[in-house]
Amino acid sequence: MINKDLKRSILNILTTAVVLTGMPACADLDLPSDGRLTIETVFSEYYRVRNYHDRCRDYIITPGFNNGGALLASYSDEAHDAADGVSSSPNNWYNNRTSVFSNPVGDVWQHYFEGIRKCNSFLTYINDPEIFTAAIEADELSGWIGEVYTLRGFYYLQLIKRYGGVPIMDKPYEIGYDFTQDRRASFEECVDFIMASCDSALALPISSRSTVGFRWDLSDNENGTITRAFAWAVKSQAALYAASPLWYASGSKYDWNKALEITKEALDECYAHGFRLFNITPSSDIARSAYDYYCCVVTSDASRAVDKETIYGAGSRSNVWINAGTPVTEGQNAAGAGPSQELVDSYEMQSTGVPPILGYADADHLIPIYNPLATDYDPANPYEGRDPRFYASIYYNNSDRALLGKNDTLGKITMGYRTPPSPGDNPSRCTVTVNADGSITATSTGADAYYYFTNIGKPIVKAVKRVVSFDYQCDGNVWDAEFFFCVRGGPEGGRSTGQNMTIVKTEPGEWIHFEHEIGGNVDGDYGFGNADMTVAGSEPVEQHFLRFDFVNNQIGVTLTIKSPMIVSYTPPPPIVSVETFVGGNCGISDRVTDTRYTRTGYYLRKFNNYKSAVGVSVDPIIRLYRMGELYLNFAEAAYNAGSPSTVVPAKVAGGLSLSAIDAVDSLRLRAQMPKLPAGLSKSDFEARYRNERRVELAFEEHRFFDVRRWKILSQTDNFVTGMKITKNSSNTFDYTRIKLKERGTNTDKYLMFPIMQSEVLKMQEYTGESWQNPGWN
């Protein structure tokens, strides 16, 4: 709740003069001499109204380093922050310094209420004919109104997730408002208001024009615009939270059946309007899997031409590489949120589809209980064969910082068989056939057989690597083959690479790729392929050509070559491994002030594009809402309302008929994981579902709230563990689980944020009641 003085201050600003930013040129503003505008002036002109609407979006906080400078994962059992030993918000959290005077995670009470006030003001003034006099086309105005209704619902959802029920404000406060009548609404009442706000937006008619109105579809230059899908995502999450153990009150309308109704309709509406799980398979030099591609590379496009999963992905790049990166990355400032061993243990085995660790035999989580069904798990090689989402999310010992990139090709010269223009060009002691596909088949018929390729036709581009390249099939071994560089007018016969090439016998149908470096020959031998070094009197560079020699009396060997060419390229940089073992280049650190090295033995890979470094920040945005969450929200409501296998029909045309297990399997199949086994009991499915949600949505600011609404915080968040790895002389590794500092942040009072004491005292003075959350008095 905003205090009385602040409310009156805001009210005075709104009713007398509003200072706006982001306007057109000052000449259009007709500003009073004190630089302020009356509210009537603001709502009398198109651009001013539009900018007031735009400012209503300014209170969206997207996932990232917005929680005391750290990821929210650092305050949950997902991770332990490397800033634990220095003055920092994570350090304060781990030392139980949260209070009614300071919240290390960040107090957002006033921030979101300011956003709500902004939305209420817009909605009030836009419906007041004495204030709103601007000429704005009806469909466009309808779109703005829909966005603002949705934003108001979203801001309330962010408040109640953290604080529980809060006061409901649906209009700006008037002068003389009686604050003694304010009260904290219940969680259910707040969810009612959230649903009503979103429903008001969704009830607006869809314009027949695709570029205006409250819409499903956007163009790429409209990133950040609030859509109908956003409104459904807010409803889905609000319903799920309301039905969860922490917030459900006996008799509330928001039981699991109601949550199922809303989450299913949200999923169906989005699916029917073209939203899908991202499932584009990338090339191996871009990402390891579709999930990896989506989380670590793809930048959301508002038009959904490529990314059909993201519902809202506007904001700044995450810059994980700087603030939660690896020390081998140039420009990294901090290791940040180091993934916990508990999170690592939650990633299942890919081949068997079962978790390798079932729990812990001790209170400190140092003795894992191995799953006998995980026959593909090896404790001495613990990172092999895991869920592909593990490799997309976590850097572990000896994992590659980058992927093997492709060559940067700077020049390519395609060659063919040189049809003899004169007797001197005839192949020697071999028969040559040019096949229909352009490949060249040559059979040696005598010692020192050779034939010529066509003219290169242009200079050879200088590069780090210059090679002769082709694919071949051969029915025998060719030892000590060589190329000759031929220039008419140059040395007789040309210059040899030296008899240093080997072509091996291939299996039937097998093709082998061949490359031979020629850079030294090009630079050192009379300028082959180099116009300014051609021997005086010889033909121009375009007439230079290559000769292939079998050499060594290899008679009767048949060699077929296809795609012969000279390629100039820069090879990709060598891959650097992330060495988290003690003493490695990213080794686990016991030095409490060394914030660049992990405390857990792991680094965050999710949202960290391996190409990011100084001057090249290409980390993607961490999405606020995406289709994957809607599948999971529905699955949770569905199994709680019925059973894991109960099929729920589509709510709208073009929707989905699926069960809770079907929804979870959709995500698992995208991740290249086996389906869940049929016939799981409700309790067994719940365990698998919660693990699936933990893995799929890791580091997306869900786990922090999930363990609270499920009321399992006491089991999860007192401490986390890591893995200390030592390297032996035999290049093998020893793995030792370690327990990190106990935090004391798993007691019931941490289920909700404290309300700052200054706010509590003021509202207690007005209402006679303490609004403080349990345990924070």
Side-chain angles (χ1 to χ4, degrees):
M1 185 65 193
I2 303 173
N3 66 63
K4 184 176 180 180
D5 294 337
L6 177 58
K7 288 177 182 173
R8 287 179 173 165
S9 175
I10 292 172
L11 183 60
N12 288 336
I13 292 173
L14 286 173
T15 55
T16 58
V18 179
V19 180
L20 296 176
T21 59
M23 290 289 192
C26 291
D28 296 332
L29 296 178
D30 191 24
L31 293 173
S33 60
D34 62 2
R36 298 181 296 171
L37 292 170
T38 64
I39 202 67
E40 288 81 5
T41 302
V42 169
F43 280 83
S44 67
E45 197 270 330
Y46 171 87
Y47 286 106
R48 293 170 183 147
V49 177
R50 188 182 72 178
N51 281 304
Y52 197 101
H53 151 264
D54 291 347
R55 300 289 72 75
C56 290
R57 298 178 189 158
D58 289 350
Y59 301 89
I60 296 175
I61 301 175
T62 53
F65 296 90
N66 302 310
N67 310 281
L71 294 174
L72 193 58
S74 290
Y75 305 94
S76 76
D77 67 340
E78 287 184 303
H80 189 90
D81 204 284
D84 60 348
V86 299
S87 178
S88 66
S89 292
N91 175 274
N92 289 334
W93 183 261
Y94 300 155
N95 286 282
N96 202 11
R97 297 191 187 114
T98 305
S99 73
V100 297
F101 302 103
S102 176
N103 185 347
V105 183
D107 181 62
V108 294
W109 178 281
Q110 181 170 325
H111 174 87
Y112 284 123
F113 269 120
E114 288 177 356
I116 290 164
R117 183 267 305 167
K118 194 80 172 178
C119 293
N120 283 336
S121 297
F122 179 87
L123 294 171
T124 297
Y125 299 140
I126 212 75
N127 287 297
D128 187 334
E130 293 185 3
I131 293 177
F132 175 56
T133 57
I136 300 176
E137 194 270 330
D139 282 350
E140 184 169 15
L141 181 61
S142 176
W144 297 352
I145 292 171
E147 286 193 68
V148 175
Y149 269 124
T150 302
L151 285 166
R152 185 174 69 180
F154 169 75
Y155 295 147
Y156 262 107
L157 177 58
Q158 301 315 302
L159 284 169
I160 66 173
K161 286 166 62 172
R162 293 163 171 83
Y163 301 99
V166 296
I168 293 176
M169 301 161 50
D170 62 356
K171 54 182 174 295
Y173 284 102
E174 299 175 354
I175 294 175
Y177 177 79
D178 181 8
F179 296 101
T180 64
Q181 63 184 332
D182 278 354
R183 68 178 185 89
R184 284 188 72 175
S186 68
F187 197 91
E188 179 182 9
E189 289 171 328
C190 290
V191 174
D192 282 342
F193 189 69
I194 291 167
M195 296 296 177
S197 292
C198 292
D199 287 342
S200 293
L202 293 168
L204 293 166
I206 297 177
S207 173
S208 59
R209 297 157 54 201
S210 62
T211 57
V212 292
F214 191 51
R215 292 168 285 156
W216 285 99
D217 302 317
L218 304 173
S219 60
D220 281 336
N221 64 358
E222 294 178 293
N223 199 23
T225 298
I226 306 302
T227 63
R228 290 177 178 265
F230 190 110
W232 279 111
V234 170
K235 291 187 65 174
S236 175
Q237 192 177 100
L240 185 76
Y241 275 55
S244 297
L246 178 62
W247 301 119
Y248 178 74
S250 178
S252 168
K253 68 173 70 66
Y254 295 106
D255 58 12
W256 284 117
N257 287 310
K258 185 66 172 177
L260 172 58
E261 174 190 328
I262 295 170
T263 58
K264 185 60 166 64
E265 191 170 5
L267 176 61
D268 283 349
E269 285 282 1
C270 290
Y271 191 89
H273 287 89
F275 287 87
R276 298 289 187 274
L277 295 177
F278 185 90
N279 204 21
I280 297 175
T281 302
S283 62
S284 60
D285 64 310
I286 294 177
R288 295 167 174 83
S289 63
Y291 181 85
D292 185 18
Y293 191 21
Y294 178 67
C295 295
C296 298
V297 179
V298 169
T299 299
S300 301
D301 53 326
S303 68
R304 288 185 279 136
V306 176
D307 174 10
K308 301 184 189 312
E309 178 162 356
T310 298
I311 292 172
Y312 189 86
S316 303
R317 291 189 179 275
S318 60
N319 285 331
V320 167
W321 73 274
I322 298 176
N323 301 309
T326 59
V328 292
T329 303
E330 183 185 2
Q332 177 248 25
N333 290 334
S340 68
Q341 186 62 48
E342 286 80 3
L343 176 61
V344 171
D345 289 343
S346 70
Y347 287 92
E348 298 174 357
M349 305 306 296
Q350 185 176 21
S351 62
T352 56
V354 298
I357 308 298
L358 295 177
Y360 308 96
D362 66 320
D364 292 336
H365 294 189
L366 301 179
I367 306 174
I369 301 172
Y370 297 114
N371 188 349
L373 298 179
T375 56
D376 45 349
Y377 179 70
D378 179 7
N381 198 12
Y383 310 123
E384 287 297 312
R386 306 296 283 273
D387 183 330
R389 289 172 291 191
F390 169 71
Y391 307 107
S393 302
I394 295 173
Y395 282 119
Y396 56 93
N397 186 47
N398 276 348
S399 57
D400 293 333
R401 165 69 182 105
L403 300 178
L404 181 60
K406 292 182 178 179
N407 297 329
D408 183 9
T409 302
L410 304 178
K412 184 183 294 185
I413 299 172
T414 301
M415 301 181 294
Y417 174 65
R418 181 183 178 93
T419 303
S422 63
D425 285 335
N426 281 333
S428 175
R429 295 174 289 280
C430 66
T431 61
V432 178
T433 301
V434 179
N435 304 308
D437 62 358
S439 61
I440 304 166
T441 298
T443 301
S444 61
T445 58
D448 294 328
Y450 63 82
Y451 64 88
Y452 298 100
F453 290 106
T454 52
N455 297 342
I456 66 172
K458 58 184 176 181
I460 298 173
V461 175
K462 290 193 174 184
V464 175
K465 297 280 286 184
R466 285 162 290 178
V467 300
V468 176
S469 165
F470 54 77
D471 297 322
Y472 73 84
Q473 291 180 333
C474 192
D475 63 2
N477 294 313
V478 180
W479 310 111
D480 300 328
E482 62 183 323
F483 286 111
F484 274 84
F485 302 100
C486 303
V487 180
R488 287 187 177 278
E492 184 177 355
R495 291 284 179 87
S496 171
T497 59
Q499 298 176 11
N500 54 8
M501 297 184 296
T502 299
I503 291 175
V504 300
K505 182 179 179 179
T506 58
E507 298 296 326
E510 177 187 19
W511 289 91
I512 293 179
H513 184 70
F514 175 88
E515 286 189 1
H516 184 77
E517 171 67 49
I518 62 171
N521 302 99
V522 170
D523 292 338
D525 288 344
Y526 62 83
F528 178 81
N530 193 330
D532 61 358
M533 294 179 66
T534 300
V535 173
S538 70
E539 293 185 351
V541 64
E542 290 79 6
Q543 301 300 316
H544 298 184
F545 54 94
L546 279 175
R547 188 182 95 184
F548 176 77
D549 281 50
F550 283 86
V551 191
N552 273 357
N553 300 319
Q554 290 162 320
I555 301 172
V557 175
T558 298
L559 171 68
T560 299
I561 289 174
K562 69 177 180 180
S563 304
M565 62 184 69
I566 297 172
V567 183
S568 302
Y569 66 88
T570 300
I575 295 177
V576 177
S577 293
V578 176
E579 301 169 346
T580 64
F581 60 83
V582 176
N585 58 20
C586 298
I588 191 170
S589 176
D590 294 326
R591 298 185 298 275
V592 296
T593 59
D594 195 346
T595 60
R596 294 186 62 237
Y597 292 83
T598 177
R599 298 289 184 269
T600 66
Y602 304 101
Y603 292 87
L604 177 59
R605 186 184 187 281
K606 196 172 182 180
F607 316 118
N608 185 344
N609 190 314
Y610 75 86
K611 295 181 180 180
S612 288
V614 173
V616 188
S617 182
V618 290
D619 286 1
I621 293 163
I622 305 174
R623 281 84 173 178
L624 182 61
Y625 289 120
R626 63 181 177 95
M627 197 67 169
E629 182 197 343
L630 267 58
Y631 273 90
L632 289 166
N633 293 352
F634 157 73
E636 185 171 345
Y639 87 79
N640 276 293
S643 73
S645 58
T646 302
V647 174
V648 183
K651 295 284 186 181
V652 300
L656 297 163
S657 292
L658 76 170
S659 65
I661 199 168
D662 292 334
V664 171
D665 282 343
S666 296
L667 294 165
R668 291 175 68 86
L669 292 175
R670 187 265 293 273
Q672 300 174 322
M673 287 293 290
K675 291 183 177 182
L676 290 176
L680 288 173
S681 68
K682 198 167 186 175
S683 60
D684 287 342
F685 179 82
E686 178 172 88
R688 298 298 295 270
Y689 164 80
R690 288 184 175 183
N691 193 71
E692 189 70 24
R693 187 175 178 97
R694 181 180 196 175
V695 165
E696 174 68 25
L697 301 179
F699 303 103
E700 296 182 39
E701 298 197 350
H702 290 277
R703 179 70 177 177
F704 182 91
F705 298 105
D706 285 343
V707 298
R708 285 165 169 77
R709 65 183 181 86
W710 292 332
K711 296 186 73 173
I712 61 170
L713 180 69
S714 61
Q715 307 167 35
T716 61
D717 278 42
N718 189 33
F719 65 88
V720 298
T721 58
M723 185 70 80
K724 191 170 187 177
I725 304 173
T726 54
K727 186 176 183 179
N728 301 316
S729 57
S730 59
N731 283 332
T732 59
F733 298 97
D734 291 331
Y735 299 89
T736 303
R737 291 173 181 251
I738 57 172
K739 178 183 176 182
L740 291 143
K741 178 182 176 61
E742 290 194 4
R743 305 173 181 178
T745 55
N746 65 326
T747 59
D748 281 354
K749 74 176 186 178
Y750 280 94
L751 291 170
M752 289 183 276
F753 281 10
I755 300 173
M756 291 298 99
Q757 186 73 352
S758 58
E759 190 68 26
V760 170
L761 292 176
K762 288 171 183 175
M763 294 317 300
Q764 189 166 7
E765 177 186 351
Y766 301 142
T767 67
E769 297 179 358
S770 174
W771 287 14
Q772 189 55 270
N773 282 325
W776 293 107
N777 292 319

